Amino acid sequence: MTTSATSAADVVVHADADVLAAATAARLITALTDAQAARGSASVVLTGGGTGIAILEQIRRSPARDALDWSRLDVYWGDERFVPADDAERNDKQAREALLDQVPLDPARVHAVAASDGEFGDDPDAAAAAYTRVLATAAAGDGVPAFDVMLLGLGGEGHTASIFPDTPAAREAERSVVAVRDCPKPPPTRVSLTFPAIRRAQEVWLVTAGSAKAEAVAAAHRGAGEVTLPVAGARGTGRTLWLLDTEAAAELPWSPRVQERYP
Ligand SMILES: O=C(O)[C@H](O)[C@@H](O)[C@H](O)[C@H](O)COP(=O)(O)O
């Protein structure tokens, strides 16, 4: 059941973090399979963080994962920690361990952000510029692909991807990918898509769990500005969907129905 909220966003609330991850995994498999049926291929933007990785682990465990033609899926990241490639903090390393190394993806269609020990050395601006080119090439002139689904997490203070409150990244209106430094969430140096890039996605799914996120979730639905609460600026061209557990939904200005956990 979805509840339409402010800014035409939909909200679906699940009983707990485990149900949220499993249900979002099923929803993502279906959305990407439908995109492939309609267009022959699909594209997804992954997120780091505990909820984002839990979703990938649920997909790995799901028999429905074989409904997807993995060889016709393009995988991107909404942000990446700018650390060495084999650093456990890398979002792509965590995603590969959770799922990507277990499914028959086309390696040429997995678009990771350069690591700090990669071809651009310890230069996050160069890594951001290179990822900008990756997106532009995939978009065939539109600058950024119209991703089928972009997964985004959020922090308790309202960051999403690696766009943190009151930062240049939150004010970026031109570039699609930027380097961010001194992030309050470690590691401090990251590469992140910006709002212009995020808003190219057809569907943006904001997925989060836990009471620590409840205030930011509610503030976004009360009309907070995107510079002070970046997650409020994350919206898709076709749909913005909030996927929450009951704790993260607890302070919403209305009481959405909860998708119960059935025994
Ligand atoms: O690289 C990152 O850290 C993520 O992209 C970040 O935006 C994350 O999604 C949120 O901080 C939520 O993280 P949790 O799900 O672990 O709370």
Side-chain angles (χ1 to χ4, degrees):
M1 199 277 275
T2 58
T3 309
S4 64
T6 53
S7 70
D10 291 334
V11 179
V12 176
V13 180
H14 292 290
D16 60 39
D18 290 341
V19 176
L20 171 68
T24 302
R27 182 186 295 271
L28 186 58
I29 291 169
T30 300
L32 297 177
T33 303
D34 286 354
Q36 290 186 336
R39 220 180 53 243
S41 65
S43 58
V44 63
V45 182
L46 302 181
T47 181
T51 302
I53 297 304
I55 293 166
L56 303 184
E57 288 167 349
Q58 290 287 350
I59 294 175
R60 188 187 74 240
R61 291 201 283 266
S62 168
R65 80 185 208 193
D66 294 334
L68 256 177
D69 180 345
W70 293 94
S71 70
R72 292 186 293 132
L73 178 68
D74 284 296
V75 179
Y76 301 88
W77 275 267
D79 70 332
E80 184 57 275
R81 291 87 177 271
F82 195 64
V83 292
D86 66 351
D87 189 310
E89 286 289 333
R90 285 278 299 184
N91 288 335
D92 71 335
K93 180 175 171 58
Q94 292 181 28
R96 291 178 194 281
E97 289 166 358
L99 171 65
L100 306 187
D101 287 349
Q102 319 295 324
V103 288
L105 288 155
D106 175 353
R109 300 181 78 156
V110 179
H111 310 282
V113 177
S116 64
D117 57 352
E119 61 183 308
F120 305 104
D122 194 16
D123 181 347
D125 293 295
Y131 209 61
T132 300
R133 294 192 293 274
V134 166
L135 298 181
T137 300
D142 284 341
V144 176
F147 309 110
D148 289 295
V149 178
M150 178 179 290
L151 298 175
L152 287 172
L154 59 130
E157 89 297 357
H159 80 261
T160 193
S162 287
I163 306 173
F164 288 83
D166 299 309
T167 60
R171 294 181 175 85
E172 179 60 50
E174 302 301 326
R175 291 177 293 168
S176 50
V177 187
V178 293
V180 292
R181 296 172 171 83
D182 305 321
C183 294
K185 177 180 180 181
T189 306
R190 294 154 171 253
V191 173
S192 182
L193 268 59
T194 59
F195 290 134
I198 289 170
R199 290 172 186 156
R200 286 279 297 147
Q202 295 174 66
E203 295 202 14
V204 166
W205 299 2
L206 298 156
V207 195
T208 201
S211 57
K213 313 299 176 71
E215 185 181 339
V217 169
H221 284 85
R222 284 195 300 263
E226 67 192 32
V227 174
T228 55
L229 196 90
V231 69
R235 51 183 178 269
T237 57
R239 188 184 196 193
T240 304
L241 175 61
W242 290 76
L243 296 166
L244 308 171
D245 74 340
T246 51
E247 290 186 3
E251 296 180 26
L252 281 172
W254 77 94
S255 297
R257 271 177 49 78
V258 175
Q259 310 282 329
E260 300 295 343
R261 173 196 280 271
Y262 293 102

